Amino acid sequence: MEKIPILRMGPFLLVTIQVDLYDRLALNLEADLIKTISDTNAKGVLIDISVVSIVDSFMGRIIGNIASMSKILDAETVVVGMQPAVAITLIELGLPLTGVHTALNVERGMELLRAKVNLDDYSSSEDEQESDDQRSY
Amino acid sequence: MISVVTKQSMLIQQDQDVVPFRNRVKECAVKLKMGLVNQTKLITAASELVRNMLKYGHGGQVIIEAVSKRNQYGVRLIFIDKGPGIPDIALAMKDGYSTGKSLGLGLPGTKRLVNEFEIESAVGVGTKVSIIKWCNG
């Protein structure tokens, strides 16, 4: 079964979507990502869609869902790298992705995440987090 | 008068057929030198309709055609399913209306993305949707 890798980078999770998503794959990503946020106590999620050529209403809904679900788990989501043609299409389709933070590229996305997340909170809890990690990974 | 330049047909029976189908539509659009934004709109529209077909019509057949009218070229897609049909097409074409759990953007959103959109449906017989995206449309 194909799977989209979720990378951990300090307090953040990084997802780069490199393949064309079909529905099952997108739903699995949603579930995996939410579980990983909860398991790793991540404070932010960065989703890179720079090579995704199509975002239809289903994919748009999944992106919106991921953002709302991670919000409930106290993590911010930033979607980066959307192709201009995809942005035009999404708006004409009627899907403005309200509630999803976006940035032009990964670098700016990381800046945005850092600005949104108060990292002081994270570092204080990181020590216990690390000992947790050694057990589970 | 619309004339058909090339014609191919594809069966859509499961989720995994969607990505190859989108690729075939893309190939057809690229051959006609359709611009990237129009390509993206066409493939997104195709993706919406094929999802509807799988979800409500339990799959079906799609005909992918390169067509021409006077001096312009375009791609025509005809989606034919033998599903339950749509009792009230006017209602189904309304933004935000859905009998499923989706956002209800599928049909009205698709119509905004393409140049020509026709839908015929008979309850108990099936649904046929035909769209055209012109290269310079």
Side-chain angles (χ1 to χ4, degrees):
Chain A
M1 175 95 205
E2 265 184 295
K3 218 176 160 182
I4 311 243
I6 299 170
L7 308 177
R8 191 173 166 197
M9 243 180 88
F12 303 130
L13 298 176
L14 193 63
V15 181
T16 303
I17 301 175
Q18 299 272 10
V19 291
D20 274 323
L21 287 173
Y22 51 90
D23 297 7
R24 191 70 250 161
L25 199 56
L27 285 169
N28 286 347
L29 173 66
E30 180 186 275
D32 280 353
L33 198 52
I34 302 308
K35 187 175 181 305
T36 315
I37 292 173
S38 151
D39 288 351
T40 62
N41 188 22
K43 287 290 169 198
V45 179
L46 188 121
I47 305 175
D48 174 27
I49 57 165
S50 54
V51 291
V52 175
S53 52
I54 297 296
V55 177
D56 59 16
S57 65
F58 184 82
M59 257 296 285
R61 187 154 60 107
I62 296 283
I63 293 175
N65 283 356
I66 289 175
S68 328
M69 290 171 184
S70 25
K71 188 78 205 162
I72 300 176
L73 297 178
D74 191 27
E76 297 285 342
T77 304
V78 176
V79 173
V80 305
M82 185 182 290
Q83 294 179 9
V86 172
I88 293 171
T89 305
L90 270 182
I91 297 304
E92 280 197 18
L93 189 62
L95 205 72
L97 288 186
T98 36
V100 181
H101 301 297
T102 53
L104 212 49
N105 53 39
V106 175
E107 214 176 335
R108 290 210 201 160
M110 285 310 263
E111 272 172 33
L112 185 63
L113 269 186
R114 283 201 197 95
K116 289 211 165 292
V117 173
N118 187 354
L119 286 179
D120 295 342
D121 294 349
Y122 184 80
S123 49
S124 61
S125 65
E126 200 168 25
D127 297 337
E128 23 180 339
Q129 178 69 26
E130 264 169 15
S131 53
D132 275 359
D133 288 346
Q134 276 158 3
R135 257 181 279 132
S136 50
Y137 291 94
Chain B
M1 187 58 212
I2 293 174
S3 53
V4 178
V5 184
T6 64
K7 180 174 180 170
Q8 51 178 318
S9 160
M10 201 174 163
L11 281 178
I12 307 285
Q13 273 149 343
Q14 51 175 341
D15 214 27
Q16 276 88 333
D17 296 335
V18 172
V19 173
F21 162 69
R22 290 200 298 223
N23 290 342
R24 283 230 217 157
V25 175
K26 190 180 169 84
E27 268 169 41
C28 185
V30 168
K31 263 189 208 152
L32 297 174
K33 299 195 171 65
M34 187 182 283
L36 186 62
V37 172
N38 281 346
Q39 259 182 51
T40 308
K41 286 180 184 177
L42 170 69
I43 300 165
T44 308
S47 188
E48 296 291 338
L49 291 175
V50 87
R51 170 164 302 113
N52 277 353
M53 199 167 80
L54 277 169
K55 192 169 159 191
Y56 301 106
H58 317 297
Q61 187 196 15
V62 189
I63 298 164
I64 306 168
E65 293 172 329
V67 293
S68 76
K69 188 167 97 179
R70 287 180 222 107
N71 275 333
Q72 61 179 350
Y73 286 86
V75 177
R76 175 159 70 186
L77 303 173
I78 305 169
F79 300 79
I80 304 160
D81 73 53
K82 294 190 169 65
I86 304 171
D88 188 340
I89 291 180
L91 190 59
M93 290 303 297
K94 255 195 187 157
D95 258 319
Y97 176 80
S98 174
T99 56
K101 283 186 201 147
S102 66
L103 299 170
L105 289 172
L107 288 178
T110 304
K111 192 177 180 183
R112 285 192 290 271
L113 292 176
V114 296
N115 301 115
E116 286 172 44
F117 183 102
E118 275 167 39
I119 180 165
E120 291 163 32
S121 187
V123 174
V125 181
T127 302
K128 180 177 164 187
V129 183
S130 165
I131 58 171
I132 300 180
K133 185 81 192 165
W134 298 112
C135 288
N136 51 6

